[in-house]
Amino acid sequence: MRQFKDDFLWGGATAANQFEGGWKEGGKGLSTADVTRFKPDVDVEDMQKQWEITSADIEEAIRTQDSTYYPKRHGSDFYHHYKEDIALMAEMGFKVFRMSIAWSRIFPRGDEETPNEEGLAFYDRVFDELHKYGIEPLVTMSHYEPPLAFVTEYDGWYSRESVTFFTRYVTAICNRYKDKVKYWLTFNEVDSVIRHPFMTGGLIEDHFPSHEAFEQAIYQAMHHQFVASALATKICHETIPGSKVGCMLTKLTFYPYTCRPEDVLKAQQDMRATLAFADVQVFGRYPAYLKALYKKKNIVLKKETGDDEILRSYPVDFISFSYYSSSCSAADTTGLDVAEGNTCAAIKNPYLKASSWGWQIDPVGLRISMVDLYDRYRLPLFIVENGLGAQDVPEADGSIQDDYRIHYMQEHIKTMYDAVTEDGVELMGYTCWGCIDLVSNSSNQMSKRYGMVYVDCDDYGNGTFNRKKKKSFDWYKEVIATNGANVLDR
Ligand code: BG6
């Protein structure tokens, strides 16, 4: 029988900023996610407009107390539903649950000296509930929600103080949860700071005198995140013996649009834009091609004495990544169609179909991505996000027949198995994204659903927030129970 190894970590993934809700409860402070607006009048494929944010927008958001256009404030209300949600995960047989801690629940402004006890106690309850069912937590320390005061008053990750504030936060959570959490990720999609500086780096463009200064700030923020991530790895290892810390990448896989050498070169360069981040976190130094880019762009990093030594001394233990789709690269894009993707748009591949949000579906690309990463880093991989964002429409009897989701996941699980058995990739586990419906990161829609459990809530926050199993629920339960055999033996 074809199966994954016995200790394979099957499960699902979420993030506090899109799932947890409870934005004003338990002493939580505001985060960047709480001021991110749902823009129904803007085309969902126009990412730049979707993500544009100014100081005036933030002020308006702070004045607005309701969450109609700020859906990440309520998310799926895991804050009040965690017991029910964890019971559903246990019923599916989850071995692991990927979640994140909201930094602003622990340090409401980001700059306090002592943590918020109510926030710490909430995650104690969540971890205890998970352990009750034998589910291992996999915790992201920072998933798109820097505390807002840290952003507006300190310029987020641009300021050097970011490293102090973040390591204080990491020390607090590692100390508190040392007996409860052994798998950690530092920054979700750490490479996204380039594409979405506000969400990831807490950078607001109008705080900087020019576009060039803003670009400089982005690279500076990236450096601070590298140093903070290395220090977080150190703190984790020292506080929790045997803990495993991973970096987390957006695996953007590009194919050359043609076999013209110029297109092949462009694809290689596009891939390096994200691989650069793992290069630093795994090899402990800036790669030469990144230094060359800085020189070309006149980027001058402010480094403190000891930064290089920190990067060198505390590399990550494993590589985790998200994979949803692939796209193409071309040296000359004139006349070529554009396809959407995870936080980035690129050239459409004529051989692939796309989701309703324009993300091109490519299961073979998952295998290619795994080989790319494993051959380069020789570290265990963990697929911590994969899935299909779709509009689920309940049938007349209320059931949700999401065969399209089952098909998507099944095809990806098959190529994931091939990467392990035929290409020799070491894979720790698979956590599908948004296992229980949550708010979309890119479009802020609730109607872009990934879950195997439906949450009754619309794009404006109307609904009961009741949970309902979709058809994929029993299917995934069987995948886990048979360790993949029900998919692989077909
Ligand atoms: C990843 C993020 O980018 O992709 C998640 O880590 C996000 O936060 C997921 O939700 C899917 O993207 P979207 O835009 O469809 O929610």
Side-chain angles (χ1 to χ4, degrees):
M1 195 169 18
R2 302 192 321 143
Q3 279 182 317
F4 286 84
K5 56 179 185 171
D6 288 346
D7 59 354
F8 191 74
L9 292 167
W10 292 102
T14 61
N17 83 97
Q18 293 154 258
F19 189 52
E20 193 173 280
W23 68 294
K24 284 198 293 193
E25 290 181 64
K28 182 185 173 298
L30 286 178
S31 77
T32 52
D34 296 318
V35 297
T36 302
R37 204 172 197 281
F38 166 49
K39 300 177 180 172
D41 301 334
V42 174
D43 184 350
V44 281
E45 296 194 354
D46 189 343
M47 300 251 184
Q48 280 324 312
K49 283 227 168 69
Q50 282 287 345
W51 291 352
E52 247 166 32
I53 188 153
T54 63
S55 295
D57 295 331
I58 295 172
E59 280 159 26
E60 186 192 327
I62 294 171
R63 282 194 301 272
T64 311
Q65 284 306 301
D66 94 353
S67 59
T68 310
Y69 290 96
Y70 299 97
K72 288 175 180 164
R73 292 178 173 183
H74 56 69
S76 305
D77 198 24
F78 177 68
Y79 193 77
H80 297 105
H81 288 76
Y82 71 92
K83 285 196 176 177
E84 179 188 351
D85 287 349
I86 292 170
L88 286 162
M89 292 171 202
E91 195 182 331
M92 276 188 275
F94 278 22
K95 313 282 182 224
V96 66
F97 172 48
R98 178 182 175 219
M99 53 177 277
S100 68
I101 294 179
W103 181 0
S104 60
R105 198 174 281 295
I106 309 300
F107 287 92
R109 291 175 39 86
D111 62 356
E112 297 90 338
E113 297 279 340
T114 48
N116 167 32
E117 174 54 33
E118 266 192 275
L120 288 169
F122 168 67
Y123 295 108
D124 266 326
R125 294 195 291 278
V126 171
F127 297 141
D128 290 346
E129 195 69 14
L130 287 167
H131 286 300
K132 187 168 115 187
Y133 295 101
I135 302 174
E136 202 63 60
L138 163 64
V139 176
T140 316
M141 297 169 175
S142 176
H143 193 134
Y144 298 159
E145 72 323 54
L148 194 63
F150 161 67
V151 169
T152 53
E153 295 174 33
Y154 295 89
D155 282 328
W157 281 96
Y158 174 62
S159 77
R160 180 72 199 195
E161 280 144 310
S162 58
V163 178
T164 310
F165 298 154
F166 189 73
T167 48
R168 195 180 288 156
Y169 158 65
V170 173
T171 304
I173 56 176
C174 284
N175 277 329
R176 179 72 168 225
Y177 307 124
K178 59 175 182 288
D179 300 323
K180 300 183 181 180
V181 182
K182 67 173 183 230
Y183 296 110
W184 297 87
L185 307 178
T186 54
F187 293 94
N188 181 65
E189 295 186 336
V190 57
D191 48 281
S192 61
V193 67
I194 301 287
R195 302 183 297 279
H196 201 331
F198 177 69
M199 174 179 85
T200 311
L203 303 172
I204 306 164
E205 184 153 7
D206 61 40
H207 278 214
F208 297 88
S210 63
H211 187 69
E212 290 66 39
F214 185 54
E215 194 173 30
Q216 171 78 43
I218 293 173
Y219 286 102
Q220 188 63 49
M222 175 174 158
H223 176 70
H224 291 150
Q225 292 200 331
F226 284 146
V227 174
S229 176
L231 288 171
T233 307
K234 172 184 191 282
I235 295 165
C236 234
H237 285 159
E238 288 175 359
T239 322
I240 315 172
S243 58
K244 297 280 175 216
V245 186
C247 60
M248 198 303 195
L249 288 185
T250 319
K251 185 64 188 83
L252 296 177
T253 295
F254 296 96
Y255 303 135
Y257 188 70
T258 71
C259 53
R260 282 174 65 227
E262 290 79 3
D263 286 353
V264 178
L265 180 66
K266 182 69 173 65
Q268 189 179 58
Q269 289 168 339
D270 286 346
M271 301 261 259
R272 275 178 157 182
T274 50
L275 292 175
F277 288 78
D279 284 356
V280 177
Q281 293 181 289
V282 173
F283 302 132
R285 61 191 146 81
Y286 280 84
Y289 63 86
L290 199 54
K291 289 185 189 162
L293 177 83
Y294 288 178
K295 206 166 166 193
K296 200 162 142 192
K297 285 175 170 272
N298 283 324
I299 302 290
V300 183
L301 289 187
K302 280 183 247 143
K303 285 189 184 177
E304 282 195 359
T305 322
D307 281 1
D308 287 339
E309 178 61 22
I310 290 170
L311 297 185
R312 240 190 333 269
S313 306
Y314 310 109
V316 291
D317 303 313
F318 66 94
I319 315 272
S320 80
F321 64 100
S322 60
Y323 174 85
Y324 293 92
S325 61
S326 69
S327 36
C328 295
S329 297
D332 178 3
T333 57
T334 321
L336 298 180
D337 289 337
V338 169
E340 292 308 311
N342 189 6
T343 59
C344 108
I347 303 304
K348 198 169 189 160
N349 185 332
Y351 299 101
L352 299 177
K353 293 203 171 102
S355 76
S356 312
W357 274 261
W359 296 22
Q360 299 183 103
I361 301 171
D362 179 15
V364 177
L366 174 59
R367 178 172 174 184
I368 294 169
S369 303
M370 291 170 72
V371 172
D372 277 353
L373 292 173
Y374 193 69
D375 282 1
R376 193 175 180 111
Y377 302 115
R378 296 277 153 191
L379 283 180
L381 304 184
F382 204 142
I383 300 170
V384 295
E385 287 188 32
N386 174 243
L388 179 71
Q391 191 133 26
D392 294 327
V393 182
E395 304 288 318
D397 65 358
S399 67
I400 293 142
Q401 303 295 320
D402 56 344
D403 295 276
Y404 37 86
R405 181 166 294 110
I406 295 174
H407 181 72
Y408 176 102
M409 286 173 66
Q410 166 173 294
E411 296 311 300
H412 283 77
I413 290 171
K414 283 183 191 163
T415 66
M416 166 172 113
Y417 181 77
D418 293 341
V420 171
T421 52
E422 293 179 31
D423 302 317
V425 171
E426 209 179 326
L427 183 65
M428 295 165 70
Y430 173 86
T431 57
C432 54
W433 178 246
C435 46
I436 296 178
D437 289 344
L438 40 65
V439 175
S440 156
N441 175 52
S442 56
S443 69
N444 289 292
Q445 292 168 296
M446 191 69 204
S447 52
K448 186 180 187 188
R449 297 171 183 274
Y450 286 87
M452 291 156 301
V453 173
Y454 186 85
V455 175
D456 176 33
C457 169
D458 70 11
D459 286 343
Y460 299 89
N462 303 308
T464 59
F465 288 81
N466 287 342
R467 275 55 173 159
K468 186 189 225 356
K469 297 173 192 171
K470 302 182 194 174
K471 183 174 178 183
S472 53
F473 184 97
D474 286 328
W475 170 81
Y476 195 50
K477 181 175 172 182
E478 192 64 15
V479 171
I480 298 177
T482 62
N483 221 346
N486 71 325
V487 166
L488 301 169
D489 283 342
R490 280 186 169 209

